[in-house]
PDB file of all heavy atoms in Angstrom:
ATOM      1  N   PHE H 438      64.111  80.129  68.645  1.00 98.00           N
ATOM      2  CA  PHE H 438      64.828  81.362  68.326  1.00 98.00           C
ATOM      3  C   PHE H 438      63.903  82.555  68.523  1.00 98.00           C
ATOM      4  O   PHE H 438      62.788  82.581  67.981  1.00 98.00           O
ATOM      5  CB  PHE H 438      65.328  81.331  66.877  1.00 98.00           C
ATOM      6  CG  PHE H 438      66.412  80.319  66.632  1.00 98.00           C
ATOM      7  CD1 PHE H 438      66.130  79.122  65.997  1.00 98.00           C
ATOM      8  CD2 PHE H 438      67.725  80.564  67.045  1.00 98.00           C
ATOM      9  CE1 PHE H 438      67.131  78.188  65.763  1.00 98.00           C
ATOM     10  CE2 PHE H 438      68.726  79.634  66.817  1.00 98.00           C
ATOM     11  CZ  PHE H 438      68.434  78.440  66.176  1.00 98.00           C
ATOM     12  N   HIS H 439      64.359  83.537  69.300  1.00 98.00           N
ATOM     13  CA  HIS H 439      63.598  84.757  69.574  1.00 98.00           C
ATOM     14  C   HIS H 439      64.459  85.940  69.144  1.00 98.00           C
ATOM     15  O   HIS H 439      65.632  86.049  69.544  1.00 98.00           O
ATOM     16  CB  HIS H 439      63.249  84.853  71.056  1.00 98.00           C
ATOM     17  CG  HIS H 439      62.591  83.612  71.589  1.00 98.00           C
ATOM     18  ND1 HIS H 439      61.253  83.358  71.417  1.00 98.00           N
ATOM     19  CD2 HIS H 439      63.117  82.554  72.258  1.00 98.00           C
ATOM     20  CE1 HIS H 439      60.967  82.196  71.966  1.00 98.00           C
ATOM     21  NE2 HIS H 439      62.077  81.683  72.480  1.00 98.00           N
ATOM     22  N   PHE H 440      63.904  86.840  68.364  1.00 98.00           N
ATOM     23  CA  PHE H 440      64.658  87.929  67.756  1.00 98.00           C
ATOM     24  C   PHE H 440      64.385  89.211  68.537  1.00 98.00           C
ATOM     25  O   PHE H 440      63.218  89.625  68.671  1.00 98.00           O
ATOM     26  CB  PHE H 440      64.282  88.050  66.285  1.00 98.00           C
ATOM     27  CG  PHE H 440      64.579  86.786  65.520  1.00 98.00           C
ATOM     28  CD1 PHE H 440      63.703  85.702  65.554  1.00 98.00           C
ATOM     29  CD2 PHE H 440      65.759  86.652  64.800  1.00 98.00           C
ATOM     30  CE1 PHE H 440      63.986  84.526  64.873  1.00 98.00           C
ATOM     31  CE2 PHE H 440      66.053  85.478  64.117  1.00 98.00           C
ATOM     32  CZ  PHE H 440      65.161  84.411  64.162  1.00 98.00           C
ATOM     33  N   VAL H 441      65.447  89.810  69.075  1.00 98.00           N
ATOM     34  CA  VAL H 441      65.280  90.921  70.012  1.00 98.00           C
ATOM     35  C   VAL H 441      66.160  92.093  69.611  1.00 98.00           C
ATOM     36  O   VAL H 441      67.298  91.916  69.160  1.00 98.00           O
ATOM     37  CB  VAL H 441      65.604  90.477  71.457  1.00 98.00           C
ATOM     38  CG1 VAL H 441      64.573  89.454  71.943  1.00 98.00           C
ATOM     39  CG2 VAL H 441      67.004  89.894  71.568  1.00 98.00           C
ATOM     40  N   ASP H 442      65.624  93.286  69.774  1.00 98.00           N
ATOM     41  CA  ASP H 442      66.351  94.524  69.495  1.00 98.00           C
ATOM     42  C   ASP H 442      66.510  95.262  70.813  1.00 98.00           C
ATOM     43  O   ASP H 442      65.613  95.981  71.246  1.00 98.00           O
ATOM     44  CB  ASP H 442      65.578  95.369  68.474  1.00 98.00           C
ATOM     45  CG  ASP H 442      66.315  96.658  68.104  1.00 98.00           C
ATOM     46  OD1 ASP H 442      67.489  96.797  68.492  1.00 98.00           O
ATOM     47  OD2 ASP H 442      65.699  97.518  67.435  1.00 98.00           O
ATOM     48  N   ALA H 443      67.635  95.036  71.480  1.00 98.00           N
ATOM     49  CA  ALA H 443      67.865  95.615  72.803  1.00 98.00           C
ATOM     50  C   ALA H 443      69.357  95.588  73.089  1.00 98.00           C
ATOM     51  O   ALA H 443      70.106  94.814  72.481  1.00 98.00           O
ATOM     52  CB  ALA H 443      67.098  94.823  73.869  1.00 98.00           C
ATOM     53  N   PRO H 444      69.828  96.418  74.030  1.00 98.00           N
ATOM     54  CA  PRO H 444      71.244  96.408  74.401  1.00 98.00           C
ATOM     55  C   PRO H 444      71.597  95.135  75.165  1.00 98.00           C
ATOM     56  O   PRO H 444      70.712  94.424  75.661  1.00 98.00           O
ATOM     57  CB  PRO H 444      71.389  97.654  75.277  1.00 98.00           C
ATOM     58  CG  PRO H 444      70.021  97.930  75.786  1.00 98.00           C
ATOM     59  CD  PRO H 444      69.068  97.475  74.729  1.00 98.00           C
ATOM     60  N   PRO H 445      72.898  94.822  75.271  1.00 98.00           N
ATOM     61  CA  PRO H 445      73.311  93.557  75.880  1.00 98.00           C
ATOM     62  C   PRO H 445      72.728  93.287  77.264  1.00 98.00           C
ATOM     63  O   PRO H 445      72.274  92.175  77.538  1.00 98.00           O
ATOM     64  CB  PRO H 445      74.843  93.688  75.936  1.00 98.00           C
ATOM     65  CG  PRO H 445      75.180  94.544  74.773  1.00 98.00           C
ATOM     66  CD  PRO H 445      74.060  95.549  74.692  1.00 98.00           C
ATOM     67  N   ARG H 446      72.712  94.269  78.131  1.00 98.00           N
ATOM     68  CA  ARG H 446      72.233  94.013  79.494  1.00 98.00           C
ATOM     69  C   ARG H 446      70.758  93.603  79.503  1.00 98.00           C
ATOM     70  O   ARG H 446      70.342  92.719  80.260  1.00 98.00           O
ATOM     71  CB  ARG H 446      72.460  95.245  80.370  1.00 98.00           C
ATOM     72  CG  ARG H 446      72.296  94.975  81.861  1.00 98.00           C
ATOM     73  CD  ARG H 446      72.711  96.193  82.678  1.00 98.00           C
ATOM     74  NE  ARG H 446      74.114  96.521  82.506  1.00 98.00           N
ATOM     75  CZ  ARG H 446      75.105  95.941  83.197  1.00 98.00           C
ATOM     76  NH1 ARG H 446      74.831  94.994  84.080  1.00 98.00           N
ATOM     77  NH2 ARG H 446      76.354  96.319  82.994  1.00 98.00           N
ATOM     78  N   GLU H 447      69.948  94.223  78.640  1.00 98.00           N
ATOM     79  CA  GLU H 447      68.535  93.884  78.577  1.00 98.00           C
ATOM     80  C   GLU H 447      68.324  92.510  77.945  1.00 98.00           C
ATOM     81  O   GLU H 447      67.484  91.725  78.393  1.00 98.00           O
ATOM     82  CB  GLU H 447      67.785  94.951  77.777  1.00 98.00           C
ATOM     83  CG  GLU H 447      66.311  94.675  77.561  1.00 98.00           C
ATOM     84  CD  GLU H 447      65.498  94.619  78.853  1.00 98.00           C
ATOM     85  OE1 GLU H 447      65.997  95.064  79.910  1.00 98.00           O
ATOM     86  OE2 GLU H 447      64.360  94.123  78.789  1.00 98.00           O
ATOM     87  N   VAL H 448      69.092  92.201  76.903  1.00 98.00           N
ATOM     88  CA  VAL H 448      68.980  90.867  76.293  1.00 98.00           C
ATOM     89  C   VAL H 448      69.393  89.797  77.301  1.00 98.00           C
ATOM     90  O   VAL H 448      68.761  88.740  77.393  1.00 98.00           O
ATOM     91  CB  VAL H 448      69.839  90.783  75.021  1.00 98.00           C
ATOM     92  CG1 VAL H 448      69.753  89.386  74.416  1.00 98.00           C
ATOM     93  CG2 VAL H 448      69.387  91.816  73.999  1.00 98.00           C
ATOM     94  N   LEU H 449      70.428  90.067  78.079  1.00 98.00           N
ATOM     95  CA  LEU H 449      70.852  89.119  79.103  1.00 98.00           C
ATOM     96  C   LEU H 449      69.747  88.902  80.133  1.00 98.00           C
ATOM     97  O   LEU H 449      69.497  87.763  80.558  1.00 98.00           O
ATOM     98  CB  LEU H 449      72.126  89.610  79.781  1.00 98.00           C
ATOM     99  CG  LEU H 449      72.685  88.716  80.894  1.00 98.00           C
ATOM    100  CD1 LEU H 449      73.004  87.318  80.378  1.00 98.00           C
ATOM    101  CD2 LEU H 449      73.933  89.355  81.512  1.00 98.00           C
ATOM    102  N   ARG H 450      69.061  89.962  80.514  1.00 98.00           N
ATOM    103  CA  ARG H 450      67.959  89.809  81.468  1.00 98.00           C
ATOM    104  C   ARG H 450      66.868  88.894  80.897  1.00 98.00           C
ATOM    105  O   ARG H 450      66.337  88.018  81.587  1.00 98.00           O
ATOM    106  CB  ARG H 450      67.370  91.182  81.802  1.00 98.00           C
ATOM    107  CG  ARG H 450      66.263  91.141  82.864  1.00 98.00           C
ATOM    108  CD  ARG H 450      65.499  92.435  82.918  1.00 98.00           C
ATOM    109  NE  ARG H 450      64.803  92.714  81.670  1.00 98.00           N
ATOM    110  CZ  ARG H 450      63.670  92.122  81.304  1.00 98.00           C
ATOM    111  NH1 ARG H 450      63.104  91.201  82.082  1.00 98.00           N
ATOM    112  NH2 ARG H 450      63.101  92.434  80.154  1.00 98.00           N
ATOM    113  N   MET H 451      66.529  89.070  79.612  1.00 98.00           N
ATOM    114  CA  MET H 451      65.521  88.213  78.984  1.00 98.00           C
ATOM    115  C   MET H 451      65.961  86.752  78.983  1.00 98.00           C
ATOM    116  O   MET H 451      65.183  85.839  79.266  1.00 98.00           O
ATOM    117  CB  MET H 451      65.260  88.683  77.553  1.00 98.00           C
ATOM    118  CG  MET H 451      64.530  89.994  77.421  1.00 98.00           C
ATOM    119  SD  MET H 451      64.158  90.319  75.661  1.00 98.00           S
ATOM    120  CE  MET H 451      65.103  91.799  75.410  1.00 98.00           C
ATOM    121  N   ALA H 452      67.233  86.543  78.635  1.00 98.00           N
ATOM    122  CA  ALA H 452      67.747  85.181  78.590  1.00 98.00           C
ATOM    123  C   ALA H 452      67.753  84.545  79.973  1.00 98.00           C
ATOM    124  O   ALA H 452      67.420  83.358  80.131  1.00 98.00           O
ATOM    125  CB  ALA H 452      69.152  85.178  77.990  1.00 98.00           C
ATOM    126  N   GLN H 453      68.105  85.313  80.994  1.00 98.00           N
ATOM    127  CA  GLN H 453      68.116  84.777  82.355  1.00 98.00           C
ATOM    128  C   GLN H 453      66.715  84.370  82.794  1.00 98.00           C
ATOM    129  O   GLN H 453      66.529  83.343  83.462  1.00 98.00           O
ATOM    130  CB  GLN H 453      68.705  85.810  83.312  1.00 98.00           C
ATOM    131  CG  GLN H 453      70.211  85.991  83.155  1.00 98.00           C
ATOM    132  CD  GLN H 453      70.752  87.160  83.944  1.00 98.00           C
ATOM    133  OE1 GLN H 453      70.035  88.128  84.222  1.00 98.00           O
ATOM    134  NE2 GLN H 453      72.027  87.100  84.307  1.00 98.00           N
ATOM    135  N   GLU H 454      65.713  85.140  82.421  1.00 98.00           N
ATOM    136  CA  GLU H 454      64.344  84.791  82.768  1.00 98.00           C
ATOM    137  C   GLU H 454      63.916  83.485  82.101  1.00 98.00           C
ATOM    138  O   GLU H 454      63.141  82.707  82.668  1.00 98.00           O
ATOM    139  CB  GLU H 454      63.393  85.916  82.362  1.00 98.00           C
ATOM    140  CG  GLU H 454      63.517  87.166  83.228  1.00 98.00           C
ATOM    141  CD  GLU H 454      62.544  88.252  82.815  1.00 98.00           C
ATOM    142  OE1 GLU H 454      61.827  88.071  81.789  1.00 98.00           O
ATOM    143  OE2 GLU H 454      62.502  89.288  83.509  1.00 98.00           O
ATOM    144  N   ALA H 455      64.424  83.246  80.892  1.00 98.00           N
ATOM    145  CA  ALA H 455      64.053  82.036  80.151  1.00 98.00           C
ATOM    146  C   ALA H 455      64.862  80.813  80.573  1.00 98.00           C
ATOM    147  O   ALA H 455      64.477  79.683  80.257  1.00 98.00           O
ATOM    148  CB  ALA H 455      64.226  82.265  78.655  1.00 98.00           C
ATOM    149  N   ALA H 456      65.976  81.016  81.284  1.00 98.00           N
ATOM    150  CA  ALA H 456      66.923  79.931  81.542  1.00 98.00           C
ATOM    151  C   ALA H 456      66.616  79.125  82.796  1.00 98.00           C
ATOM    152  O   ALA H 456      67.317  78.145  83.081  1.00 98.00           O
ATOM    153  CB  ALA H 456      68.342  80.496  81.635  1.00 98.00           C
ATOM    154  N   ASN H 457      65.610  79.516  83.558  1.00 96.00           N
ATOM    155  CA  ASN H 457      65.200  78.751  84.743  1.00 96.00           C
ATOM    156  C   ASN H 457      66.353  78.485  85.707  1.00 96.00           C
ATOM    157  O   ASN H 457      66.533  77.370  86.210  1.00 96.00           O
ATOM    158  CB  ASN H 457      64.563  77.421  84.325  1.00 96.00           C
ATOM    159  CG  ASN H 457      63.244  77.616  83.610  1.00 96.00           C
ATOM    160  OD1 ASN H 457      62.443  78.463  83.988  1.00 96.00           O
ATOM    161  ND2 ASN H 457      63.017  76.844  82.555  1.00 96.00           N
ATOM    162  N   GLY H 458      67.147  79.519  85.950  1.00 97.00           N
ATOM    163  CA  GLY H 458      68.221  79.401  86.936  1.00 97.00           C
ATOM    164  C   GLY H 458      69.518  78.835  86.411  1.00 97.00           C
ATOM    165  O   GLY H 458      70.506  78.772  87.145  1.00 97.00           O
ATOM    166  N   HIS H 459      69.551  78.414  85.141  1.00 98.00           N
ATOM    167  CA  HIS H 459      70.773  77.890  84.556  1.00 98.00           C
ATOM    168  C   HIS H 459      71.617  79.022  83.963  1.00 98.00           C
ATOM    169  O   HIS H 459      71.186  80.176  83.900  1.00 98.00           O
ATOM    170  CB  HIS H 459      70.436  76.854  83.490  1.00 98.00           C
ATOM    171  CG  HIS H 459      69.746  75.638  84.030  1.00 98.00           C
ATOM    172  ND1 HIS H 459      70.361  74.730  84.864  1.00 98.00           N
ATOM    173  CD2 HIS H 459      68.479  75.188  83.852  1.00 98.00           C
ATOM    174  CE1 HIS H 459      69.521  73.776  85.176  1.00 98.00           C
ATOM    175  NE2 HIS H 459      68.362  74.025  84.576  1.00 98.00           N
ATOM    176  N   ASP H 460      72.806  78.676  83.510  1.00 98.00           N
ATOM    177  CA  ASP H 460      73.729  79.664  82.962  1.00 98.00           C
ATOM    178  C   ASP H 460      73.303  80.101  81.559  1.00 98.00           C
ATOM    179  O   ASP H 460      72.546  79.414  80.867  1.00 98.00           O
ATOM    180  CB  ASP H 460      75.144  79.103  82.896  1.00 98.00           C
ATOM    181  CG  ASP H 460      75.796  78.982  84.266  1.00 98.00           C
ATOM    182  OD1 ASP H 460      75.193  79.424  85.262  1.00 98.00           O
ATOM    183  OD2 ASP H 460      76.915  78.429  84.337  1.00 98.00           O
ATOM    184  N   ILE H 461      73.852  81.247  81.142  1.00 98.00           N
ATOM    185  CA  ILE H 461      73.623  81.797  79.811  1.00 98.00           C
ATOM    186  C   ILE H 461      74.910  81.658  79.003  1.00 98.00           C
ATOM    187  O   ILE H 461      75.988  82.000  79.488  1.00 98.00           O
ATOM    188  CB  ILE H 461      73.224  83.287  79.875  1.00 98.00           C
ATOM    189  CG1 ILE H 461      72.065  83.504  80.840  1.00 98.00           C
ATOM    190  CG2 ILE H 461      72.909  83.816  78.479  1.00 98.00           C
ATOM    191  CD1 ILE H 461      70.822  82.737  80.499  1.00 98.00           C
ATOM    192  N   ARG H 462      74.775  81.189  77.764  1.00 98.00           N
ATOM    193  CA  ARG H 462      75.929  81.110  76.873  1.00 98.00           C
ATOM    194  C   ARG H 462      75.839  82.226  75.832  1.00 98.00           C
ATOM    195  O   ARG H 462      74.805  82.401  75.184  1.00 98.00           O
ATOM    196  CB  ARG H 462      75.964  79.745  76.170  1.00 98.00           C
ATOM    197  CG  ARG H 462      77.175  79.569  75.251  1.00 98.00           C
ATOM    198  CD  ARG H 462      77.217  78.165  74.636  1.00 98.00           C
ATOM    199  NE  ARG H 462      75.980  77.842  73.955  1.00 98.00           N
ATOM    200  CZ  ARG H 462      75.173  76.810  74.280  1.00 98.00           C
ATOM    201  NH1 ARG H 462      75.507  75.997  75.266  1.00 98.00           N
ATOM    202  NH2 ARG H 462      74.062  76.584  73.608  1.00 98.00           N
ATOM    203  N   ILE H 463      76.927  82.992  75.687  1.00 98.00           N
ATOM    204  CA  ILE H 463      77.035  83.958  74.599  1.00 98.00           C
ATOM    205  C   ILE H 463      77.687  83.227  73.430  1.00 98.00           C
ATOM    206  O   ILE H 463      78.865  82.890  73.471  1.00 98.00           O
ATOM    207  CB  ILE H 463      77.864  85.193  75.011  1.00 98.00           C
ATOM    208  CG1 ILE H 463      77.348  85.785  76.331  1.00 98.00           C
ATOM    209  CG2 ILE H 463      77.839  86.235  73.892  1.00 98.00           C
ATOM    210  CD1 ILE H 463      75.900  86.237  76.292  1.00 98.00           C
ATOM    211  N   GLY H 464      76.918  82.974  72.383  1.00 97.00           N
ATOM    212  CA  GLY H 464      77.359  82.069  71.348  1.00 97.00           C
ATOM    213  C   GLY H 464      78.190  82.698  70.248  1.00 97.00           C
ATOM    214  O   GLY H 464      78.772  81.985  69.445  1.00 97.00           O
ATOM    215  N   GLY H 465      78.256  84.007  70.174  1.00 92.00           N
ATOM    216  CA  GLY H 465      79.025  84.641  69.104  1.00 92.00           C
ATOM    217  C   GLY H 465      78.117  85.352  68.135  1.00 92.00           C
ATOM    218  O   GLY H 465      76.906  85.467  68.384  1.00 92.00           O
ATOM    219  N   GLY H 466      78.679  85.857  67.072  1.00 93.00           N
ATOM    220  CA  GLY H 466      80.101  85.845  66.732  1.00 93.00           C
ATOM    221  C   GLY H 466      80.911  86.850  67.546  1.00 93.00           C
ATOM    222  O   GLY H 466      80.435  87.366  68.572  1.00 93.00           O
ATOM    223  N   PRO H 467      82.124  87.124  67.077  1.00 96.00           N
ATOM    224  CA  PRO H 467      83.034  87.954  67.860  1.00 96.00           C
ATOM    225  C   PRO H 467      82.520  89.359  68.145  1.00 96.00           C
ATOM    226  O   PRO H 467      82.809  89.917  69.209  1.00 96.00           O
ATOM    227  CB  PRO H 467      84.308  87.996  67.010  1.00 96.00           C
ATOM    228  CG  PRO H 467      83.873  87.600  65.636  1.00 96.00           C
ATOM    229  CD  PRO H 467      82.738  86.654  65.824  1.00 96.00           C
ATOM    230  N   SER H 468      81.743  89.953  67.241  1.00 96.00           N
ATOM    231  CA  SER H 468      81.218  91.299  67.503  1.00 96.00           C
ATOM    232  C   SER H 468      80.252  91.276  68.671  1.00 96.00           C
ATOM    233  O   SER H 468      80.236  92.190  69.514  1.00 96.00           O
ATOM    234  CB  SER H 468      80.520  91.855  66.253  1.00 96.00           C
ATOM    235  OG  SER H 468      81.433  91.997  65.189  1.00 96.00           O
ATOM    236  N   THR H 469      79.437  90.222  68.763  1.00 97.00           N
ATOM    237  CA  THR H 469      78.499  90.084  69.875  1.00 97.00           C
ATOM    238  C   THR H 469      79.247  89.812  71.170  1.00 97.00           C
ATOM    239  O   THR H 469      78.956  90.416  72.213  1.00 97.00           O
ATOM    240  CB  THR H 469      77.502  88.951  69.580  1.00 97.00           C
ATOM    241  OG1 THR H 469      76.768  89.275  68.397  1.00 97.00           O
ATOM    242  CG2 THR H 469      76.540  88.752  70.739  1.00 97.00           C
ATOM    243  N   VAL H 470      80.224  88.925  71.126  1.00 98.00           N
ATOM    244  CA  VAL H 470      81.040  88.655  72.314  1.00 98.00           C
ATOM    245  C   VAL H 470      81.695  89.937  72.806  1.00 98.00           C
ATOM    246  O   VAL H 470      81.721  90.234  74.012  1.00 98.00           O
ATOM    247  CB  VAL H 470      82.098  87.575  71.994  1.00 98.00           C
ATOM    248  CG1 VAL H 470      83.153  87.509  73.099  1.00 98.00           C
ATOM    249  CG2 VAL H 470      81.433  86.223  71.808  1.00 98.00           C
ATOM    250  N   ARG H 471      82.213  90.727  71.878  1.00 98.00           N
ATOM    251  CA  ARG H 471      82.882  91.979  72.246  1.00 98.00           C
ATOM    252  C   ARG H 471      81.925  92.925  72.962  1.00 98.00           C
ATOM    253  O   ARG H 471      82.308  93.598  73.934  1.00 98.00           O
ATOM    254  CB  ARG H 471      83.467  92.621  70.987  1.00 98.00           C
ATOM    255  CG  ARG H 471      84.565  93.613  71.260  1.00 98.00           C
ATOM    256  CD  ARG H 471      85.357  93.923  70.000  1.00 98.00           C
ATOM    257  NE  ARG H 471      84.507  94.419  68.930  1.00 98.00           N
ATOM    258  CZ  ARG H 471      84.479  93.905  67.695  1.00 98.00           C
ATOM    259  NH1 ARG H 471      85.247  92.879  67.372  1.00 98.00           N
ATOM    260  NH2 ARG H 471      83.682  94.406  66.781  1.00 98.00           N
ATOM    261  N   GLN H 472      80.677  93.000  72.512  1.00 97.00           N
ATOM    262  CA  GLN H 472      79.693  93.875  73.173  1.00 97.00           C
ATOM    263  C   GLN H 472      79.499  93.474  74.631  1.00 97.00           C
ATOM    264  O   GLN H 472      79.417  94.339  75.516  1.00 97.00           O
ATOM    265  CB  GLN H 472      78.353  93.794  72.447  1.00 97.00           C
ATOM    266  CG  GLN H 472      78.300  94.452  71.094  1.00 97.00           C
ATOM    267  CD  GLN H 472      76.905  94.350  70.497  1.00 97.00           C
ATOM    268  OE1 GLN H 472      75.919  94.803  71.084  1.00 97.00           O
ATOM    269  NE2 GLN H 472      76.812  93.725  69.332  1.00 97.00           N
ATOM    270  N   PHE H 473      79.414  92.177  74.892  1.00 98.00           N
ATOM    271  CA  PHE H 473      79.188  91.717  76.265  1.00 98.00           C
ATOM    272  C   PHE H 473      80.436  91.877  77.121  1.00 98.00           C
ATOM    273  O   PHE H 473      80.337  92.158  78.320  1.00 98.00           O
ATOM    274  CB  PHE H 473      78.686  90.270  76.253  1.00 98.00           C
ATOM    275  CG  PHE H 473      77.227  90.160  75.906  1.00 98.00           C
ATOM    276  CD1 PHE H 473      76.806  90.174  74.583  1.00 98.00           C
ATOM    277  CD2 PHE H 473      76.270  90.085  76.906  1.00 98.00           C
ATOM    278  CE1 PHE H 473      75.463  90.101  74.261  1.00 98.00           C
ATOM    279  CE2 PHE H 473      74.926  90.009  76.596  1.00 98.00           C
ATOM    280  CZ  PHE H 473      74.514  90.019  75.270  1.00 98.00           C
ATOM    281  N   LEU H 474      81.608  91.732  76.530  1.00 98.00           N
ATOM    282  CA  LEU H 474      82.839  92.010  77.273  1.00 98.00           C
ATOM    283  C   LEU H 474      82.959  93.499  77.595  1.00 98.00           C
ATOM    284  O   LEU H 474      83.334  93.881  78.709  1.00 98.00           O
ATOM    285  CB  LEU H 474      84.046  91.545  76.459  1.00 98.00           C
ATOM    286  CG  LEU H 474      84.292  90.037  76.400  1.00 98.00           C
ATOM    287  CD1 LEU H 474      85.346  89.712  75.355  1.00 98.00           C
ATOM    288  CD2 LEU H 474      84.719  89.494  77.768  1.00 98.00           C
ATOM    289  N   GLN H 475      82.621  94.345  76.637  1.00 98.00           N
ATOM    290  CA  GLN H 475      82.682  95.789  76.880  1.00 98.00           C
ATOM    291  C   GLN H 475      81.729  96.202  77.995  1.00 98.00           C
ATOM    292  O   GLN H 475      82.025  97.119  78.771  1.00 98.00           O
ATOM    293  CB  GLN H 475      82.366  96.541  75.587  1.00 98.00           C
ATOM    294  CG  GLN H 475      83.480  96.478  74.550  1.00 98.00           C
ATOM    295  CD  GLN H 475      83.071  97.026  73.204  1.00 98.00           C
ATOM    296  OE1 GLN H 475      81.897  97.037  72.836  1.00 98.00           O
ATOM    297  NE2 GLN H 475      84.053  97.483  72.421  1.00 98.00           N
ATOM    298  N   ALA H 476      80.584  95.535  78.093  1.00 97.00           N
ATOM    299  CA  ALA H 476      79.599  95.848  79.132  1.00 97.00           C
ATOM    300  C   ALA H 476      79.912  95.150  80.450  1.00 97.00           C
ATOM    301  O   ALA H 476      79.142  95.288  81.412  1.00 97.00           O
ATOM    302  CB  ALA H 476      78.196  95.450  78.649  1.00 97.00           C
ATOM    303  N   ASP H 477      81.022  94.415  80.520  1.00 97.00           N
ATOM    304  CA  ASP H 477      81.453  93.715  81.743  1.00 97.00           C
ATOM    305  C   ASP H 477      80.395  92.716  82.217  1.00 97.00           C
ATOM    306  O   ASP H 477      80.103  92.618  83.410  1.00 97.00           O
ATOM    307  CB  ASP H 477      81.778  94.726  82.847  1.00 97.00           C
ATOM    308  CG  ASP H 477      82.626  94.110  83.963  1.00 97.00           C
ATOM    309  OD1 ASP H 477      83.281  93.072  83.723  1.00 97.00           O
ATOM    310  OD2 ASP H 477      82.632  94.668  85.088  1.00 97.00           O
ATOM    311  N   LEU H 478      79.857  91.950  81.278  1.00 98.00           N
ATOM    312  CA  LEU H 478      78.787  91.002  81.596  1.00 98.00           C
ATOM    313  C   LEU H 478      79.229  89.542  81.520  1.00 98.00           C
ATOM    314  O   LEU H 478      78.416  88.645  81.730  1.00 98.00           O
ATOM    315  CB  LEU H 478      77.603  91.217  80.639  1.00 98.00           C
ATOM    316  CG  LEU H 478      76.918  92.579  80.713  1.00 98.00           C
ATOM    317  CD1 LEU H 478      75.858  92.702  79.617  1.00 98.00           C
ATOM    318  CD2 LEU H 478      76.291  92.790  82.088  1.00 98.00           C
ATOM    319  N   ILE H 479      80.513  89.289  81.227  1.00 98.00           N
ATOM    320  CA  ILE H 479      80.991  87.925  81.045  1.00 98.00           C
ATOM    321  C   ILE H 479      81.655  87.416  82.324  1.00 98.00           C
ATOM    322  O   ILE H 479      82.534  88.071  82.883  1.00 98.00           O
ATOM    323  CB  ILE H 479      81.991  87.846  79.872  1.00 98.00           C
ATOM    324  CG1 ILE H 479      81.322  88.292  78.572  1.00 98.00           C
ATOM    325  CG2 ILE H 479      82.576  86.438  79.744  1.00 98.00           C
ATOM    326  CD1 ILE H 479      80.114  87.466  78.169  1.00 98.00           C
ATOM    327  N   ASP H 480      81.244  86.219  82.762  1.00 98.00           N
ATOM    328  CA  ASP H 480      81.829  85.597  83.947  1.00 98.00           C
ATOM    329  C   ASP H 480      82.911  84.576  83.609  1.00 98.00           C
ATOM    330  O   ASP H 480      83.829  84.357  84.398  1.00 98.00           O
ATOM    331  CB  ASP H 480      80.731  84.895  84.759  1.00 98.00           C
ATOM    332  CG  ASP H 480      79.679  85.867  85.255  1.00 98.00           C
ATOM    333  OD1 ASP H 480      80.048  86.826  85.956  1.00 98.00           O
ATOM    334  OD2 ASP H 480      78.486  85.679  84.933  1.00 98.00           O
TER     335      ASP H 480
END
C-alpha cells in the first residue's frame, strides 16, 4: 500500500509505472470511481 496525494491522472501514471504493462484496477469506493469517470480515465 502506497499513500499518495495527487489528482487522478497523476495517480494513474504512478500506478501504470508500477504495473509492468498490466492493467490498472480502480477499486473504489464510489467517490473515487466518480473522480476517474469525470476525468475520462476509465476504459
Side-chain angles (χ1 to χ4, degrees):
F438 292 103
H439 308 279
F440 300 81
V441 294
D442 182 10
R446 193 173 297 276
E447 176 63 15
V448 178
L449 179 59
R450 184 194 63 77
M451 290 186 243
Q453 288 171 333
E454 289 181 355
N457 293 320
H459 296 293
D460 287 355
I461 308 301
R462 182 177 54 240
I463 309 300
S468 297
T469 299
V470 167
R471 201 164 57 233
Q472 289 182 58
F473 282 83
L474 285 169
Q475 287 171 334
D477 198 21
L478 297 174
I479 300 300
D480 298 303

